[in-house]
Amino acid sequence: MPQPPKRGPKKPSQKPKIRLPKGDGPKKPNFWSQLLIALLVFVTLISLYSHFSGQGDVEEIPLSELATEIQEGNVDEIVVKGDTVEVTLTDESQVKTRKETGASLSETLSNYGVILSEYPNITLSVQDPSGLGYWLIQLAPFLVPVLLILFFIWILTRQMKGSGMQAFSFGQSRARMIDPTDESRKITFDDVAGVKEAKEELKEIVDFLQNPKKYINIGAEIPKGVMLMGAPGVGKTLLARAVAGEADVPFFSISGSEFVEMFVGVGASRVRDTFQIAKKNAPAIIFIDEIDAVGRTRGVGVGGGNDEREQTLNQILVELDGFEPNEQVIVMAATNRPDVLDPALLRPGRFDRRVRIDLPDIDDREKILEVHARKKPLEDDVTLRTVAERTPGFSGADLQSLMNEAAILAARDDRKKVAQRDLTASIEKVMLGPERRSHLLSDDEKKITAYHEAGHALVASMLPYAHPVHKISIISRGHAAGYTLHLPTEERRFQSRKEFKDTMAVMLGGYVTELEVFGDLTTGPSNDLERITERARDMVTKYGMSENIGPIALETDTGKALYGKASGDRDYSEKISSLIDNEISRIIEEAREKAHTIITEKRDVLDELAEKLLEKETMERKEFESFLRGHGIEVKDELKED
Ligand code: ADP
Ligand code: ZN
């Protein structure tokens, strides 16, 4: 929950900027303090009650006896409190009795033949029964159970809260807020490296937040929603925060996945609260992370979809539509699954601005590394360009974690600066998980791993369209026993069929070698096989790369059947399914043969390479290439292109 910044002896210009709505804003503390007060009253009541009933040590006598005492002249004073009659006798002792409700004491006594006015030495007084104590006693029989029930509710809700239910606070906004005056957490476009197009597009939003008049005067419609789309870790959140930072406005963030709660209606009311707080603080930015968690296409899925999600989504739409044209609140949302979003979200007037953020290319990777190297002293030998070269496919978040790992490595060795070798070591750590030197392979396992990796590497170096080998290792990492690192020499958007086919033969290199050398298989290649099958399937169903099916995309990018659809639940008709299966098997078989030919023809090279790996455990690209040259194998330096 956003906390209003404290007024403090900070800089005088820092006025608290965040206003919480009155009335229906977060009320949590009030509720609990009220309950506490109720509890206190309860305790006081109990003690009061026992105090008043503590008069039980005064003897209670029947009315007839009081009459007798009066006649005998033993009574000094009579005090009437409601129906209770307190009597002080002449010997100073006290007794009490009760009179009939509604009748006065003198009336009641006259029934016993006692006329009070005949006893002038008795002081008679009537006390008004409106005193607090009186009423408490009257009410106690009702109040005590009510308070007890309240008390139990209190205990129960406390327990529910402990289990995360928050029965009384679930409607409140859980938005996290970043105050523009908080310099330490402020992020600007300078902190976001690369993503030039996205920044360009978002500058407009910043300008609008700063100079709304300019746009309003010319009658321009201000966008309400911006959808940031891109893989995880490419910096969507970072960009949204940078927009807020540049425009100097508060930033409220909530996550779509938070809305998927237990009770229907909770998400919707949270959305309402968040928008309300943001509007009070306009100009402001609301950021909805993982909007696909609530914004999936409605009305699909088992049981007609999830009511809670639907209501939350509807509320977001209602809020967006309900914006006054010049409200100056801009909603930014992020997703890595734009394909599953409900079309209603993307209609004009809603999230109609779409900003795509791609994985960084080599130049951007270098810049991102520079950003994250700002606070880390680097040795002179560090060239971030080399690191960028070796990290295709890394997201901004991966690069940040790479930098961080490198700094940790340096600090572990008590060095003051990060060296190039720290960075190199961290690339593999981020890519494959930490090395597990402690996980010792048995001699047999080691031999199998060495042959397996040698098989991959050898096939890779014999095929013209396969990516060159950067490193071979039989030190286990993550859950791989060993690995061969192939990297394309440059960034490429397209891959050709020849490349696909050669790559598949490389992937099968390990499997074929194990079978050829040991006549048996281990579970080692299972990951290879998964990837090959997936790749072959894509070739057939998505890229039209199968000779026998031809240029038909059978599936969309997300796996929806496009062509040859079957009726009912199945995606493909019988005929198309078997055609696909046949093609996949054929493509894989082709790749297997290719790998097999290389392995059998170059068996002597394979044996030597495996031997060498067993001895050294890792081989870098240079070492591997001179090994190849030593065996008369031509080394390709660039990926061939057609
Ligand atoms: P997303 O929201 O797209 O999943 P984030 O914005 O949370 O990704 O990014 C995670 C982290 O990665 C950021 O905090 C930042 O440190 C780093 N990062 C990502 N992209 C960039 C970039 N372009 N420049 C600098 N740092 C980046
Ligand atoms: Zn393998």
Side-chain angles (χ1 to χ4, degrees):
M1 192 178 53
Q3 294 283 340
K6 289 193 186 67
R7 260 175 220 277
K10 284 190 193 168
K11 276 184 246 156
S13 66
Q14 286 187 348
K15 276 183 286 169
K17 275 207 173 172
I18 304 307
R19 290 175 288 272
L20 291 172
K22 290 203 190 88
D24 34 12
K27 273 251 166 116
K28 194 156 96 184
N30 272 350
F31 179 79
W32 291 113
S33 56
Q34 274 168 7
L35 242 187
L36 255 170
I37 290 172
L39 216 78
L40 274 177
V41 170
F42 176 51
V43 171
T44 339
L45 256 179
I46 296 228
S47 52
L48 265 176
Y49 186 59
S50 62
H51 174 72
F52 278 94
S53 51
Q55 293 186 336
D57 35 0
V58 175
E59 192 195 347
E60 185 158 349
I61 54 169
L63 262 176
S64 54
E65 203 178 319
L66 175 64
T68 321
E69 295 282 3
I70 293 173
Q71 281 164 344
E72 289 176 2
N74 291 338
V75 174
D76 190 28
E77 189 184 359
I78 297 177
V79 180
V80 181
K81 287 183 184 169
D83 287 344
T84 314
V85 181
E86 290 174 14
V87 182
T88 314
L89 299 179
T90 41
D91 61 357
E92 304 270 293
S93 68
Q94 296 231 325
V95 291
K96 68 174 181 183
T97 182
R98 295 189 157 270
K99 72 175 177 67
E100 292 163 51
T101 313
S104 81
L105 182 66
S106 16
E107 268 168 21
T108 314
L109 282 176
S110 64
N111 293 338
Y112 292 94
V114 176
I115 310 300
L116 265 180
S117 49
E118 290 175 7
Y119 302 90
N121 46 350
I122 295 177
T123 338
L124 177 71
S125 60
V126 178
Q127 271 180 17
D128 197 353
S130 72
L132 178 71
Y134 173 80
W135 283 112
L136 280 181
I137 289 170
Q138 298 300 307
L139 288 177
F142 311 101
L143 266 183
V144 171
V146 167
L147 283 171
L148 268 176
I149 289 169
L150 271 181
F151 180 70
F152 276 118
I153 291 178
W154 182 65
I155 298 262
L156 274 178
T157 55
R158 264 174 59 112
Q159 280 173 351
M160 284 195 290
K161 204 176 154 187
S163 63
M165 250 174 70
Q166 304 205 324
F168 284 105
S169 66
F170 47 58
Q172 289 151 16
S173 158
R174 287 236 196 108
R176 288 166 298 279
M177 192 269 310
I178 296 176
D179 189 1
T181 55
D182 184 352
E183 290 294 330
S184 62
R185 298 178 66 196
K186 185 165 172 164
I187 281 178
T188 64
F189 281 153
D190 274 348
D191 300 303
V192 190
V195 290
K196 233 168 112 197
E197 293 90 353
K199 276 199 231 172
E200 213 48 61
E201 199 139 346
L202 293 174
K203 268 186 191 140
E204 209 176 280
I205 307 283
V206 174
D207 194 39
F208 161 65
L209 286 169
Q210 284 175 329
N211 318 300
K213 279 237 173 67
K214 192 165 91 183
Y215 292 83
I216 294 164
N217 288 347
I218 206 166
E221 286 251 350
I222 299 307
K224 297 173 185 171
V226 180
M227 182 73 73
L228 301 169
M229 308 192 286
V234 289
K236 299 181 292 292
T237 314
L238 195 69
L239 261 174
R241 281 182 63 181
V243 171
E246 290 281 333
D248 235 348
V249 302
F251 177 80
F252 297 90
S253 81
I254 47 183
S255 171
S257 55
E258 286 166 21
F259 292 139
V260 188
E261 290 257 348
M262 214 183 261
F263 303 116
V264 172
V266 175
S269 83
R270 231 175 245 168
V271 167
R272 217 168 20 240
D273 284 349
T274 306
F275 274 74
Q276 209 175 15
I277 298 175
K279 279 188 210 168
K280 284 253 153 73
N281 291 288
I285 284 185
I286 298 176
F287 178 65
I288 308 177
D289 205 359
E290 299 178 78
I291 195 165
D292 45 291
V294 289
R296 274 168 193 264
T297 310
R298 284 173 290 189
V300 292
V302 188
N306 174 335
D307 263 355
E308 167 64 2
R309 238 183 39 203
E310 227 159 85
Q311 288 203 12
T312 309
L313 174 60
N314 285 339
Q315 190 63 39
I316 292 177
L317 296 179
V318 165
E319 294 289 348
L320 274 171
D321 292 344
F323 272 169
E324 301 295 321
N326 307 318
E327 198 104 54
Q328 287 196 61
V329 173
I330 287 181
V331 187
M332 299 182 78
T335 178
N336 49 10
R337 297 292 312 277
D339 50 295
V340 301
L341 284 185
D342 195 299
L345 271 172
L346 303 174
R347 273 212 282 276
R350 292 170 179 171
F351 291 100
D352 47 2
R353 285 296 167 100
R354 266 157 265 173
V355 178
R356 272 210 79 90
I357 309 174
D358 288 320
L359 283 172
D361 63 12
I362 184 164
D363 293 325
D364 283 354
R365 287 200 299 274
E366 191 179 354
K367 285 183 203 136
I368 293 173
L369 285 167
E370 274 162 17
V371 165
H372 291 288
R374 272 185 204 158
K375 283 184 194 144
K376 300 184 178 71
L378 303 179
E379 293 285 2
D380 293 338
D381 72 332
V382 170
T383 40
L384 293 178
R385 181 78 190 180
T386 319
V387 180
E389 267 164 20
R390 291 188 61 172
T391 48
F394 272 44
S395 69
D398 291 334
L399 292 169
Q400 182 205 11
S401 116
L402 187 162
M403 262 297 171
N404 191 45
E405 289 293 339
I408 289 172
L409 278 183
R412 212 165 58 186
D413 290 353
D414 290 327
R415 280 178 282 121
K416 296 261 185 298
K417 289 181 174 179
V418 177
Q420 184 75 11
R421 64 174 186 283
D422 298 325
L423 290 164
T424 323
S426 306
I427 296 177
E428 280 153 38
K429 191 163 176 187
V430 172
M431 203 185 289
L432 305 155
E435 272 186 11
R436 291 187 306 171
R437 284 191 189 269
S438 61
H439 179 86
L440 291 180
L441 297 172
S442 70
D443 282 351
D444 272 351
E445 283 172 332
K446 226 171 163 179
K447 192 165 172 189
I448 294 172
T449 309
Y451 266 102
H452 180 107
E453 298 306 328
H456 281 306
L458 189 62
V459 175
S461 44
M462 298 299 295
L463 290 174
Y465 298 97
H467 299 162
V469 173
H470 273 242
K471 182 171 181 172
I472 319 170
S473 166
I474 57 167
I475 296 171
S476 62
R477 257 178 198 288
H479 47 243
Y483 60 95
T484 304
L485 209 56
H486 314 272
L487 293 179
T489 28
E490 63 197 280
E491 220 71 23
R492 287 153 46 94
R493 301 246 160 218
F494 301 126
Q495 287 190 297
S496 66
R497 175 155 75 186
K498 286 177 182 159
E499 211 179 312
F500 264 146
K501 287 188 165 180
D502 279 4
T503 312
M504 282 170 57
V506 174
M507 289 183 196
L508 274 175
Y511 170 93
V512 170
T513 308
E514 281 189 35
L515 204 57
E516 180 70 21
V517 176
F518 303 100
D520 195 7
L521 285 171
T522 63
T523 50
S526 70
N527 181 36
D528 292 343
L529 299 185
E530 245 169 60
R531 282 163 52 217
I532 292 161
T533 316
E534 210 172 294
R535 188 66 77 90
R537 198 187 165 82
D538 284 351
M539 284 176 68
V540 176
T541 60
K542 286 189 193 155
Y543 306 129
M545 286 182 181
S546 123
E547 285 87 347
N548 291 342
I549 293 185
I552 291 178
L554 297 168
E555 274 179 16
T556 60
D557 241 6
T558 50
K560 252 194 239 153
L562 276 181
Y563 176 85
K565 267 193 202 167
S567 52
D569 288 342
R570 281 164 34 256
D571 270 0
Y572 291 106
S573 64
E574 213 69 53
K575 185 167 156 248
I576 292 286
S577 291
S578 72
L579 205 57
I580 293 176
D581 291 346
N582 285 341
E583 276 303 284
I584 294 176
S585 320
R586 197 183 56 76
I587 290 175
I588 294 178
E589 178 55 24
E590 215 174 84
R592 196 196 63 80
E593 264 167 33
K594 219 185 233 173
H596 188 255
T597 315
I598 296 173
I599 295 299
T600 41
E601 275 176 10
K602 299 278 176 198
R603 177 62 196 264
D604 50 331
V605 186
L606 179 77
D607 287 339
E608 245 181 84
L609 183 57
E611 201 62 39
K612 215 167 167 147
L613 273 174
L614 271 175
E615 177 195 321
K616 307 180 66 101
E617 296 201 334
T618 55
M619 261 171 117
E620 292 287 340
R621 180 174 185 176
K622 278 208 183 97
E623 225 175 335
F624 178 58
E625 287 179 351
S626 66
F627 169 87
L628 290 177
R629 284 197 197 91
H631 289 81
I633 296 171
E634 192 194 331
V635 174
K636 53 175 187 242
D637 34 37
E638 285 295 309
L639 191 62
K640 276 209 180 152
E641 305 229 20
D642 267 332

